[in-house]
C-alpha cells in the first residue's frame, strides 16, 4: 500500500521514515495511531543510512549562507523556499528549543535532536486528541479535547481548526472527507503540518494557564494544576511545585502583617469592639513591637511544603481511581478530584493550622515558640484541641475550590475564544488578573466558614469564651452581629490578595529559571 500523501514538499516529508506503518485487520480494531506509537518505523525518524542522507540534504537546504549552522534568518529564507511560512516569533522558538550550546544557531546534531524531540511531542498531542483511537482526528474530537480544558467551541469552529490548524498561515493540512462526510486529519498530515512548528496548542493551554502552583494568597484550597505528559516524564512537575512553594513562602512572609490583622479582627472584633485596620495595627505595635506583626508566619510557611506535596500526590492517585487515562480531566472531574485531594491534605496538616492561629493570637511572652505552644495546648486541652474548627474548614473547601475554578476557567475560556489566535500564552497581566479575580471570588464565598473555623480554633485561648459548636457559633454571630459579623476581617484579607498574587508570580518565575524549568 502506498504511503498517504503529505502536505509539504518532498524534501521536508522525506526526513521521516519512508516505510509503511503496519496495518491491521478491521476486525481487530487496532488503531493506526497505536501502531505508530509502538513501531519506531511507523513514520518516525528511523536513523538509517538513507534517512541520514535525507537529513543532510534538508539541513544543507536550510543552511542558506552555507556556514554549517542554521540561524533564524536561514530558517526564514530556507523554509519560505520550501513553501513553509513561519512568523519571526515561531522561528525564534524553534532555534531556542534546539540550541543546546546557546550560540543562537543550530548545528546538524542540534537540528536532528530537535526534530526527534519535536516528533515525540507531536505524537503525544495527536494521541491525546484522537479520542476514538482510530488514527484520525475529527471535529467532535477537537471539541471534546478543548471542552476537557474548559474551552467550549462550536462544531463550525472545530471544522475551521481542522481546515487550517493555525489561523493566519497560508499553508495548512487539507482535511479529508471520509465516507460519512466527516472532515478528518490523519497522523501523517498532522505531523507534516507541524514539522518545524514550535507550538502545539492543546498542551500550551496547560503550560501557560497554571494557577494554583503559581498564585498563593495564604489559603491553599485551590484545585491543583494539571501537568502535561512531558512535564511528568521529564520530572519538571516537582520543580514547578518547589518553585511554587518558594514563591508561597515569600508571598506569605511579605503579607503576614495583613494576615495577622485579619485573624485578630475575626476573633476579637464585634459591635462593641469595632476594630479598624489602623486601630488593629496600632494595637499590635503597642503590644509587641514591629516583630509582632509576623506572629504565626513561621508555621504558616512551614506547612506549605507538606500540604502541597500531599495534595499533588493525592490528586494524581484520585485521577487514577476515577479511571481517567487522559492527560487532563474535565472541569467537574477536576473539582471532585481537587476537593478530595484538598480534604486529604488539610486533614494531614490541620494541627499546624490550629497552631498558626494560636501563634497569631498569642500575647508577648505567652509562648516561647511553636513547640512550646503545641506542648502547652496538648497538656491543657488534649489532642482534640488540634482539630477544633475541622468541620467548617473542610466544608469551606468546596465553595472555595469550586468558585475559584469556575471563575478562572470562565475567564480563561473567554480570553482564549477572543484573543488566542496564534498562542495560548495570556501574558503576565491577564494571568495575574484572572488569578486575582478567581481567588477573590473563592474567598468571598467561603469566608463565613473560614471565620467560624478561626473562632473555634481560638476559643480556648480567649479567656471566658464559650466552647461553641459550629452551628451554635453561626447562630450566635447572626444574632449578636448580623450577617456582617460573618465577614469580620474581610478588608485586610482582600488587601493582601493583589500583593500576594503579584509577589508569588514574580518569585515563581525567578525560581523557575534557577531550577531550570524548561517546559514553557
Amino acid at each position: 500500500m502506498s504511503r498517504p500523501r503529505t502536505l509539504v514538499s518532498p524534501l521536508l516529508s522525506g526526513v521521516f521514515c519512508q516505510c509503511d506503518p503496519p496495518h491491521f485487520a478491521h476486525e481487530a480494531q487496532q488503531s493506526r495511531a497505536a501502531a505508530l506509537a509502538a513501531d519506531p518505523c511507523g513514520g518516525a525518524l528511523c536513523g538509517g543510512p538513507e534517512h541520514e542522507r535525507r537529513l543532510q540534504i534538508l539541513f544543507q537546504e536550510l543552511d542558506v549562507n552555507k556556514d554549517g549552522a542554521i540561524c533564524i534568518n536561514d530558517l526564514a529564507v530556507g523554509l519560505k523556499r520550501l513553501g513553509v511560512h513561519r512568523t519571526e516569533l515561531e522561528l525564534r522558538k524553534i532555534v531556542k528549543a534546539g540550541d543546546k550550546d546557546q550560540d543562537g544557531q543550530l548545528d546538524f546534531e542540534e537540528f536532528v535532536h530537535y526534530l526527534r524531540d519535536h516528533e515525540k511531542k507531536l505524537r503525544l498531542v495527536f494521541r491525546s486528541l484522537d479520542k476514538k483511537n482510530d488514527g484520525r482526528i475529527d471535529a467532535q474530537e477537537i471539541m471534546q479535547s478543548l471542552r476537557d480544558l474548559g474551552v467550549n467551541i462550536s462544531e463550525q469552529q472545530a471544522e475551521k481548526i481542522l481546515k487550517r490548524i493555525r489561523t493566519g498561515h497560508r499553508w495548512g493540512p487539507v482535511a479529508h472527507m471520509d465516507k460519512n462526510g466527516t472532515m478528518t486529519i490523519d497522523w501523517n498530515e498532522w505531523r507534516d503540518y507541524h514539522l518545524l512548528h514550535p507550538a502545539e496548542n492543546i498542551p500550551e493551554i496547560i503550560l501557560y494557564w497554571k494557577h494554583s502552583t503559581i498564585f498563593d494568597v495564604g489559603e491553599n484550597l485551590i484545585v491543583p494544576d494539571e501537568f502535561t505528559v512531558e512535564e511528568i516524564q521529564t520530572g519538571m512537575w516537582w520543580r514547578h511545585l518547589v518553585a511554587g512553594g518558594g514563591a508561597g513562602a515569600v508571598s506569605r512572609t511579605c503579607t503576614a502583617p495583613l494576615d495577622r490583622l485579619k485573624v485578630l479582627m475575626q476573633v476579637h472584633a464585634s459591635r462593641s469592639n469595632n476594630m479598624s485596620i489602623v486601630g488593629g495595627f496600632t494595637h499590635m505595635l503597642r503590644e509587641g513591637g514591629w516583630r509582632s506583626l509576623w506572629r504565626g508566619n513561621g508555621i504558616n510557611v512551614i506547612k506549605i511544603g507538606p500540604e502541597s506535596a500531599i495534595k499533588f500526590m493525592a490528586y494524581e492517585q484520585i485521577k487514577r481511581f476515577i479511571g481517567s487515562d487522559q492527560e487532563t480531566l474535565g472541569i467537574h472531574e477536576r473539582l471532585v478530584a481537587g476537593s478530595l485531594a484538598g480534604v486529604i491534605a488539610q486533614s494531614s496538616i490541620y494541627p499546624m493550622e490550629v497552631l498558626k492561629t494560636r501563634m497569631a493570637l498569642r500575647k508577648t511572652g505567652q509562648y516561647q515558640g511553636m513547640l512550646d505552644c503545641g506542648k502547652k495546648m496538648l497538656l491543657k486541652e488534649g489532642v482534640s484541641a488540634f482539630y477544633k474548627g475541622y468541620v467548617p474548614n473542610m466544608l469551606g473547601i468546596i465553595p472555595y475550590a469550586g468558585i475559584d475554578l469556575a471563575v478562572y476557567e470562565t475567564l480563561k475560556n473567554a480570553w482564549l475564544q477572543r484573543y488566542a489566535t496564534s498562542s495560548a500564552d495570556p501574558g503576565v497581566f491577564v494571568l495575574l488578573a484572572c488569578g486575582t479575580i478567581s481567588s477573590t471570588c473563592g474567598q468571598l464565598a467561603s469566608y463565613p466558614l473560614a471565620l467560624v473555623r478561626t473562632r473555634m480554633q481560638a476559643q480556648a485561648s480567649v479567656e471566658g469564651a464559650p466552647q461553641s459548636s459550629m452551628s451554635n457559633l453561626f447562630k450566635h454571630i447572626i444574632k449578636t452581629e448580623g450577617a456582617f459579623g460573618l465577614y469580620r476581617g474581610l478588608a485586610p484579607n482582600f488587601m493582601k490578595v493583589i500583593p500576594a498574587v503579584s509577589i508569588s508570580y514574580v518569585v515563581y518565575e525567578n525560581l523557575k529559571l534557577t531550577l531550570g524549568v524548561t517546559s514553557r
Side-chain angles (χ1 to χ4, degrees):
M1 184 178 289
S2 62
R3 188 182 182 215
R5 68 185 181 86
T6 59
L7 308 164
V8 298
S9 71
L11 180 60
L12 278 178
S13 60
V15 304
F16 296 103
C17 174
Q18 301 302 300
C19 306
D20 283 338
H23 292 77
F24 297 93
H26 177 70
E27 298 79 14
Q29 294 296 311
Q30 289 186 287
S31 71
R32 189 158 158 268
L36 285 168
D39 185 15
C41 215
L45 295 164
C46 65
E50 175 62 19
H51 174 239
E52 183 79 9
R53 188 184 68 83
R54 291 176 183 273
L55 282 171
Q56 286 280 7
I57 294 173
L58 175 59
F59 182 83
Q60 291 169 8
E61 184 70 23
L62 294 177
D63 182 16
V64 177
N65 58 10
K66 306 303 178 185
D67 62 351
I70 300 174
C71 63
I72 293 173
N73 184 62
D74 288 339
L75 270 182
V77 176
L79 287 176
K80 193 172 182 179
R81 288 176 181 173
L82 297 172
V84 181
H85 300 271
R86 292 285 176 257
T87 66
E88 183 179 354
L89 178 61
E90 290 169 342
L91 295 173
R92 289 184 183 279
K93 285 184 178 180
I94 291 172
V95 174
K96 183 179 179 181
D99 187 14
K100 301 301 181 183
D101 57 8
Q102 304 296 310
D103 62 352
Q105 54 189 0
L106 303 178
D107 58 29
F108 180 69
E109 183 180 348
E110 290 173 330
F111 179 69
V112 173
H113 190 269
Y114 169 79
L115 288 180
R116 291 182 185 277
D117 282 353
H118 196 58
E119 192 191 359
K120 290 177 184 177
K121 296 176 185 178
L122 291 178
R123 194 181 299 281
L124 288 172
V125 177
F126 186 86
R127 293 179 67 187
S128 70
L129 289 172
D130 184 17
K131 304 291 185 183
K132 299 174 184 176
N133 206 30
D134 59 358
R136 308 188 79 86
I137 301 171
D138 59 29
Q140 292 297 324
E141 289 170 322
I142 293 286
M143 292 171 65
Q144 181 60 47
S145 296
L146 289 173
R147 192 180 299 119
D148 289 344
L149 294 170
V151 182
N152 297 304
I153 62 172
S154 65
E155 188 168 357
Q156 290 76 17
Q157 288 173 308
E159 288 179 354
K160 285 182 180 179
I161 293 174
L162 284 174
K163 288 178 181 178
R164 189 155 294 170
I165 299 293
R166 292 298 291 270
T167 304
H169 290 293
R170 290 177 289 168
W171 174 78
V174 178
H176 289 298
M177 298 292 291
D178 59 22
K179 292 180 180 178
N180 61 7
T182 304
M183 290 186 181
T184 61
I185 292 176
D186 65 21
W187 160 246
N188 288 321
E189 293 164 338
W190 170 268
R191 181 205 61 209
D192 289 350
Y193 171 63
H194 285 287
L195 176 67
L196 293 173
H197 197 298
E200 301 82 47
N201 286 339
I202 301 300
E204 266 193 338
I205 296 174
I206 303 173
L207 293 172
Y208 287 121
W209 288 85
K210 280 184 170 55
H211 175 29
S212 68
T213 308
I214 299 175
F215 301 134
D216 189 298
V217 293
E219 297 283 351
N220 196 2
L221 304 179
I222 304 174
V223 173
D225 282 321
E226 297 281 281
F227 289 94
T228 65
V229 171
E230 180 191 359
E231 287 176 309
I232 293 175
Q233 289 179 344
T234 59
M236 287 296 167
W237 64 270
W238 70 262
R239 300 188 190 190
H240 277 290
L241 292 181
V242 171
V250 175
S251 172
R252 294 187 186 192
T253 300
C254 292
T255 58
L258 285 168
D259 190 67
R260 187 181 180 222
L261 177 60
K262 177 197 73 174
V263 173
L264 289 175
M265 293 178 74
Q266 286 178 330
V267 175
H268 297 301
S270 63
R271 280 182 176 174
S272 59
N273 180 26
N274 192 17
M275 184 184 294
S276 65
I277 293 175
V278 175
F281 275 120
T282 302
H283 167 75
M284 287 190 289
L285 290 170
R286 284 177 179 173
E287 194 276 329
W290 65 270
R291 291 184 63 183
S292 68
L293 299 177
W294 277 267
R295 284 180 184 168
N297 182 60
I299 190 73
N300 198 32
V301 168
I302 290 172
K303 69 185 179 73
I304 293 175
E307 184 175 11
S308 298
I310 293 170
K311 188 197 287 190
F312 173 76
M313 299 306 294
Y315 184 70
E316 291 299 314
Q317 291 301 317
I318 292 168
K319 279 174 64 174
R320 295 187 182 93
F321 179 76
I322 61 179
S324 175
D325 57 355
Q326 301 297 325
E327 182 172 339
T328 61
L329 296 179
I331 299 300
H332 296 98
E333 292 173 316
R334 282 195 67 196
L335 177 58
V336 172
S339 297
L340 289 174
V343 169
I344 293 170
Q346 283 282 303
S347 299
S348 302
I349 58 94
Y350 192 74
M352 300 176 79
E353 289 279 356
V354 178
L355 275 175
K356 177 240 177 184
T357 300
R358 294 293 183 90
M359 292 294 289
L361 293 171
R362 71 186 174 97
K363 296 178 181 178
T364 302
Q366 185 176 0
Y367 304 119
Q368 295 177 2
M370 290 180 285
L371 294 178
D372 183 56
C373 176
K375 181 180 178 181
K376 288 181 177 179
M377 284 178 58
L378 183 62
L379 293 175
K380 184 179 178 181
E381 305 169 52
V383 176
S384 61
F386 291 95
Y387 286 91
K388 288 190 175 180
Y390 176 81
V391 173
N393 186 70
M394 296 302 123
L395 293 176
I397 291 175
I398 298 174
Y400 189 110
I403 291 177
D404 175 86
L405 180 63
V407 172
Y408 191 77
E409 292 296 326
T410 299
L411 295 173
K412 180 182 79 174
N413 186 24
W415 188 90
L416 288 170
Q417 288 261 25
R418 183 169 297 185
Y419 301 109
T421 56
S422 61
S423 174
D425 185 0
V428 176
F429 294 109
V430 173
L431 198 63
L432 289 178
C434 292
T436 300
I437 293 170
S438 64
S439 295
T440 300
C441 292
Q443 289 189 48
L444 187 63
S446 64
Y447 196 82
L449 285 163
L451 181 138
V452 169
R453 173 204 66 192
T454 304
R455 288 202 179 182
M456 292 180 71
Q457 290 173 343
Q459 280 177 348
S461 66
V462 180
E463 293 184 10
Q467 303 296 303
S468 304
S469 64
M470 180 182 72
S471 57
N472 289 337
L473 200 51
F474 264 114
K475 293 175 183 177
H476 174 74
I477 293 172
I478 294 292
K479 183 178 180 181
T480 58
E481 303 178 49
F484 180 76
L486 294 172
Y487 290 90
R488 299 281 182 189
L490 188 64
N493 188 63
F494 279 177
M495 285 172 63
K496 74 173 185 173
V497 171
I498 293 178
V501 167
S502 303
I503 292 167
S504 62
Y505 181 83
V506 171
V507 177
Y508 174 81
E509 289 297 315
N510 282 278
L511 285 176
K512 272 203 332 176
L513 294 176
T514 303
L515 293 169
V517 175
T518 59
S519 60
R520 275 183 63 174

